[in-house]
């Protein structure tokens, strides 16, 4: 599929020589230096098929020392490097450009959980450990690692930190950035920075780890991280609630947040079209409520005392909303199976849009209070730009983050729809900015939004970013052409 990004062609670059490639391969051993195009395919295609890259070599280092040696050689030979974790990123940051000049370094073999400290509530994981394994390691010592994404079985901690991932629990626990105490990073020169400190208070100068978090592999290769753990709730209650309007969802959110404080750990909104797509494409998926509603909320309330306290709180909040007529209908999960079935609806949603033809993704955020205005004005703009296009704005309502996706009009040629993407995305991004929002809430910039970044950041901000890049990667060998 053609790239829909407004992507400039990379400057003319030559692929590394055969001799240089042989030196890189020798660092990891031939078994972990992938040259065969068929074996490379999984590393070169992005999840949605939006970007397809070319590389002479995928390297799979098995230790921090090997990563350091790779970067030393990259500096010596001026070879550009593309770091990769689980390849679930949605802005193309982990995919090399098409000129075949870059080497992909996949961190998947750095997959050890080095230590788990339940007393200090920390865990040290290497970059290639999947998010799900980190969650399980926390669970094994009766703790919670709250980062939670639909891609958690595949995405890695290195990728999560490099993208500053968000997900469904930001409301209570923050973004990936808020879950880190220390980092180990291999710098462009090959030097290893050991910043694996497990301190909750450390005001000794610039907090350097935050430069690498959200840097999308442009400033260094993260090899390990000290992650924070939280007390595990004794129980969590999940509910699914139907509403007549997005304004009603907003009023309900304010009330639920006020009454439950940090116990409200997830608050996801889905429009009616989401249920239509789910019922159409996901086997066994059905609306848990008796009839359809214009909007739905999927929410989690955590309880720390056990014995039904989260259930009672959810019942109280939802009962009040039903009584006052704010909510139209609701179901509260009575078992872990029911809970999982409700969450499966939300988690299956991203996949269903592919099956409806072309889909434009807009991972945006606005102040929570302005979400109804964003959706109402956004939908009008979309209809005006392309009559029949189907807006599907769903997501992390509680933290102001909408996946404001748009499916092609039924029956329209998909290629034609994708060609006209800016007719829809341009006015939508303008609206987001007018409402004081961000054009990338959680997925990052990568290749997809690089052209937009310079339009939304001030010249001062861009120059500060470029100065940091120059200081840490003077030869521009780390993921060049991504983000900046
Ligand atoms: P990759 O895709 O491999 O890489 C992402 C970026 O990080 C690239 O720029 C890459 O160069 C860089 N990178 C990777 N590893 C390292 C490293 N060790 N050191 C330096 N740089 C590195 N994201 C959300 O935020 N919230 C969601 O709710 C969410 N849901 C998703 C649901 C689905 C079904 C899918 C497919 C994706 C979703 N994502 C979501 C996006 C994606 O899962 C996240 O961006 C994730 O953090 C990427 O991790 P990864 O290991 O796959 O990284």
């Amino acid at each position: 599929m053609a790239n829909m990004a407004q992507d400039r062609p990379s400057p003319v670059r030559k692929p590394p020589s055969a001799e240089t490639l042989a030196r890189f391969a020798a660092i990891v051993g031939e078994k972990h230096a992938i040259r065969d195009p068929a074996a490379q395919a999984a590393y070169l295609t992005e999840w949605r098929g939006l970007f397809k890259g070319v590389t002479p070599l995928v390297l799979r280092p098995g230790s921090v020392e090997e990563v350091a040696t790779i970067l030393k050689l990259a500096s010596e030979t001026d070879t550009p490097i593309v770091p990769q974790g689980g390849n679930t990123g949605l802005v193309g940051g982990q995919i090399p450009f098409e000129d075949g000049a870059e080497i992909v370094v996949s961190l998947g073999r750095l997959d050890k959980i080095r230590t788990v400290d339940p007393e200090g509530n920390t865990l040290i994981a290497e970059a290639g450990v999947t998010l799900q394994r980190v969650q399980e390691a926390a669970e094994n010592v009766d703790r919670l690692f709250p980062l939670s994404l639909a891609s958690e079985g595949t995405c890695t901690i290195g990728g999560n930190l490099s993208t500053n991932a968000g997900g469904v629990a930001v409301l209570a626990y923050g973004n990936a950035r808020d879950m880190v105490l220390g980092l180990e990073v291999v710098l462009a020169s090959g030097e290893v920075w050991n910043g694996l400190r497990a301190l909750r208070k450390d005001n000794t100068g610039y907090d350097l780890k935050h430069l690498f978090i959200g840097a999308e592999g442009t400033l260094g290769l993260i090899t390990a991280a000290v992650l924070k753990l939280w007390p595990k709730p004794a129980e969590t209650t999940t509910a699914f609630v139907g509403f007549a309007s997005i304004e009603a969802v907003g009023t309900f959110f304010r009330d639920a947040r006020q009454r439950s404080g940090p116990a409200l750990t997830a608050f996801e909104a889905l429009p009616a079209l989401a249920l239509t797509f789910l019922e159409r494409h996901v086997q066994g998926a059905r609306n848990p409520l008796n009839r359809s509603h214009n909007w739905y909320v999927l929410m989690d309330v955590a309880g720390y005392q056990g014995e039904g306290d989260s259930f009672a709180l959810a019942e109280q909040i939802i009962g009040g909303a039903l009584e006052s007529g704010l909510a139209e209908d609701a179901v509260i999960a009575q078992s872990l199976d029911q809970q999982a079935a409700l969450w499966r609806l939300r988690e299956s949603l991203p996949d269903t849009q592919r099956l409806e033809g072309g889909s434009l993704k807009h991972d945006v955020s606005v102040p929570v209070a302005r979400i109804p205005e964003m959706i109402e004005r956004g939908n009008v703009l979309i209809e005006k730009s392309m009559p029949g296009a189907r807006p599907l704005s769903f997501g992390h309502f509680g933290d102001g983050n909408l996946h404001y996706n748009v499916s092609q009009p039924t029956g329209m040629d998909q290629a034609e729809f994708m060609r006209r993407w800016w007719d829809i995305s341009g006015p939508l991004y303008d609206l987001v900015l007018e409402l004081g929002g961000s054009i990338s809430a959680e997925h990052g910039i990568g290749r997809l939004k690089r052209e937009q970044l310079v339009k939304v950041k001030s010249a001062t901000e861009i120059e500060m970013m470029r100065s940091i890049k120059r200081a840490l990667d003077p030869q521009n060998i780390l993921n060049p052409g991504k983000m900046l």
Side-chain angles (χ1 to χ4, degrees), residues 83 85-89 93-94 151 156 159-160 162-163 165-167 216-217 222 442 479:
N87 189 14
T88 67
Q94 72 282 14
S151 54
T156 62
N160 297 151
S162 299
T163 57
E216 301 182 36
I222 296 174
E442 59 177 11
N479 228 354

Side-chain angles (χ1 to χ4, degrees), residues 171-172 237 239 241 243 247-268 297-302 310 312-322 324 326-327 368 397-398:
L171 183 60
T237 295
V241 192
F243 294 89
E247 286 80 7
V249 171
T251 308
F252 178 68
F253 171 68
R254 279 190 294 281
D255 183 53
R257 182 96 160 128
Q258 182 62 29
R259 293 222 225 162
S260 43
L264 184 67
T265 53
F267 193 97
E268 299 284 303
V297 163
L298 174 64
M299 61 192 274
D300 269 355
V301 178
S310 68
L313 180 57
E315 228 176 12
Q316 205 184 49
I317 295 167
I318 295 166
L322 288 170
S324 69
L326 183 65
V368 179
F397 186 102

Side-chain angles (χ1 to χ4, degrees), residues 173-190:
Y173 301 100
N175 294 295
R177 184 185 295 287
D178 303 302
M179 302 176 189
V180 183
L181 292 174
L183 285 186
E184 178 185 79
V185 179
V186 180
L187 304 176
S189 60

